[in-house]
């Protein structure tokens, strides 16, 4: 494919017609990272609440955001997600939090945007909850890691 | 400040009380980038629609998302933005699109999350509109560049 | 079933995968009551507007809330309700308003949460419209009365 | 059909049961006009930005509004639009902007309300962006131009 | 004023800065009509439910829509409405339903868009509830009738 | 006060004018309970995740719902909550989960509905997460426990 399908012949935005596309099982996994000061990460991990509320809150925010993707991204189709899972992991090497979001549905369009939106909003939520102690966090490396189903079949970023 | 103010003494999430904070003019500017293949950037820039619809659509999506920040980020306060501006710029060096979002209000809490949400959703929208031609885009370097107002006063990432 | 399916092996929240569940016709009926002072109920019933606007407003609010269930309840799947009906009835015995909400769809998950959300928001709306005259109302007995369809088949609270 | 199907036997609003209706391909096209002073229309057309941001912004607003129809119109069913297209055209004769919105889905209910909502919100957005220079604009002639699919088959306003 | 303030110097959309505008009491009243077949209007008026549910439902839909204006109209500021009133009146002369919506707030921007959105969504709701019996309804004459407050002071369409 | 202020002289719903009311600090605390089988409560408490995800998820859902109250309850004014706190406590006596939600703002209307909505949606979320193991849960005793501020001053349910 070598044109921007979200634009019509006049270069105007539109929500493309997917009514002729096949309904198949589709999944997509997206990732994002929140880089932070090591002491900020320690606060998330420690303090009597291992796997405590920062990560739990961000997980919920990500799951809820996935469902609202078509309200946020103008040309996304509404769709009926059958599964959303958001994992957050403290990574002392980064240092920071690594996020992976997976969405699934049987439908006519892929779920990359839903997975990306879940990962992005989970990252923003981590940022929000830690910004009082760390103003220099950076959200980075937000991308689609892999997807399955649809006309183009299985695909992963690294191959 | 050395605690996560979004958690109470038991480590549980809450929306912190800002009723005693002073109402001041506040601004925040956040940035994000969408790195892409040079040929993808060319499609955005060229094709008969300079300043065409990809950037216009992402700009609108970012502005609208700023207003919905408290619906997306669980512990953000509702607030009355007095200005939102989202700039998108094609950068052949990256190559990709650079985004800067600025929010402003007279209020009791800062507007960093609104600026970050605007920049993130604008970036996701660029991704959505170009993903049919480029599966390997990466959204990177999402952070708060500078902010003014509030107790901590003026601040910029680079100082 | 003897585990909380909304939690994964690590005890973290997720939106469970329903993609392998069968699509069947499903209904659920939920109930709720708003207990109030007898004179408050009289104001709703009388005053020239029998079946007047308090009940009409609450009915609409309940119907609209059913459609927003997946936005409110973090782990609910988005779904395509094919019918929503909300009945409100003045009950002089209570005294108060009895609410019954019925939802229906052909889908892979049940509609109990939609029916419960419709009944709850209808009850909150009655409360809102009468709170200026009665501060001691209580919303009580919100539960699923019966449901049909799905793997577990027909079920009613009383059997 | 000679009754208002959105009301039950007691005259109360409800979301009608569509579960027995057939799933067919359905489309609807709605139109609306924004009548304005000729000089206002000139500002939209000229100023260095032909096909500029007023029309682009209204187009995006209309597309996004179509997806939110069931949140706005109390008794509309949630549905999975497979296509939304909104066209805006400057008409020097009117003078003003003519809007046409087309929605499409495979489903059990028609998409007239989605097309009308898209056209209406696009018109309101044009109004919003021009009201500083023209307080006397009028939005007129909002109606369904044609529809296809469903039990009643193809239909157009003019026949 | 002779420029489109919603566009910056480059013709790009933005949410304009209102932080320097004065906070004053502001009101706006907007109107819209739904023209229909006389027999459709009769069904709304008669049938045992005078002041029945079509008008009650549309009234609620209009009030709720006023509150969501900044979510629908991309460049509208969020604002804190202090009053919304929506009146619907059967007009045998039209024949059809006449709608008037009034919004009020103490704020830095006018409430024309909120009043127009309330009137438009009330009109769309009337349309939705009657479309099964009348496919040829037309929504017409949607405009701002009068407004008070703000820099430009009191104003009415007819003067 | 002895009339339903949400209805005008004709008995029609409206959002009442609060523009003349004084801006004061206001709080409200609402409560709700989810009664369940003792073994269901055990699953929430035990299983390796004390302070685990059921309560954390319900807490977040309640906080987020408080912010959306004016979207759900037709005649509620939009307002700028300055604090939301939702506490959930396992009560072996009930047996079940007790919920208390407190909201705060400086404004012209009370925050009872926000506190009630937070408590109700937190209760619905507990229900949703446990319904696979317990179909006979009942949400009960949802009411306003106490409020401060406003014309009527401090008030508690028990006095």
């Amino acid at each position: 494919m070598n044109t921007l399908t979200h634009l019509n012949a006049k270069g105007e935005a539109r929500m493309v017609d997917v009514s002729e596309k096949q309904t198949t099982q589709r999944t997509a996994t997206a990732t994002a990272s929140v880089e932070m000061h090591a002491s900020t990460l320690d606060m998330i991990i420690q303090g009597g609440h291992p796997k405590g509320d920062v990560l739990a809150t961000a997980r919920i925010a990500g799951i809820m955001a996935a469902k609202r993707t078509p309200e946020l991204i103008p040309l996304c189709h509404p769709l009926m997600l059958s599964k959303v899972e958001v994992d957050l992991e403290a990574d002392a090497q980064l240092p920071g939090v690594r996020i992976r979001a997976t969405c699934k549905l049987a439908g006519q369009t892929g779920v990359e945007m839903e997975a990306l939106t879940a990962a992005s909003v989970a990252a923003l939520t981590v940022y929000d909850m830690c910004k009082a102690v760390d103003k220099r966090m950076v959200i980075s490396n937000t991308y689609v890691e892999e997807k399955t189903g649809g006309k183009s079949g299985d695909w992963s970023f690294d191959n």
Side-chain angles (χ1 to χ4, degrees), chain A residues 38-55 90:
Chain A
S39 64
T40 308
L41 186 61
D42 283 350
M43 275 190 200
I44 292 177
I45 300 170
Q46 300 174 335
H49 44 96
K51 215 161 36 80
D53 252 6
V54 174
L55 303 189

Side-chain angles (χ1 to χ4, degrees), chain A residues 20-143:
Chain A
E20 300 305 318
K21 295 177 81 170
Q22 235 181 312
T23 295
T24 65
Q25 284 285 352
R26 296 158 188 267
T27 68
T29 299
T31 189
S33 296
V34 188
E35 302 169 15
M36 54 184 61
H37 199 278
S39 64
T40 308
L41 186 61
D42 283 350
M43 275 190 200
I44 292 177
I45 300 170
Q46 300 174 335
H49 44 96
K51 215 161 36 80
D53 252 6
V54 174
L55 303 189
T57 303
R59 191 181 300 118
I60 300 302
I63 292 170
M64 294 179 85
K67 294 187 270 186
R68 308 190 70 178
T69 303
E71 290 180 33
L72 294 171
I73 311 299
L75 306 182
C76 273
H77 292 80
L79 43 78
M80 305 287 286
L81 293 169
S82 61
K83 174 188 166 179
V84 182
E85 190 146 17
V86 177
D87 290 310
L88 295 105
E89 193 185 349
D91 178 343
Q93 246 56 48
L94 196 57
V97 175
R98 289 187 186 283
I99 300 163
R100 291 181 86 233
T102 299
C103 293
K104 187 173 177 181
L105 96 159
Q108 294 172 304
T109 61
V111 286
E112 299 98 305
M113 293 317 301
E114 282 69 19
L116 284 165
T117 301
S120 294
V121 171
L124 290 168
T125 301
V126 169
Y127 191 108
D128 178 47
M129 294 183 77
C130 299
K131 71 180 191 297
V133 298
D134 188 348
K135 285 190 176 66
R136 283 192 165 73
M137 288 174 287
V138 175
I139 301 173
S140 63
N141 283 313
T142 305
Y143 64 92

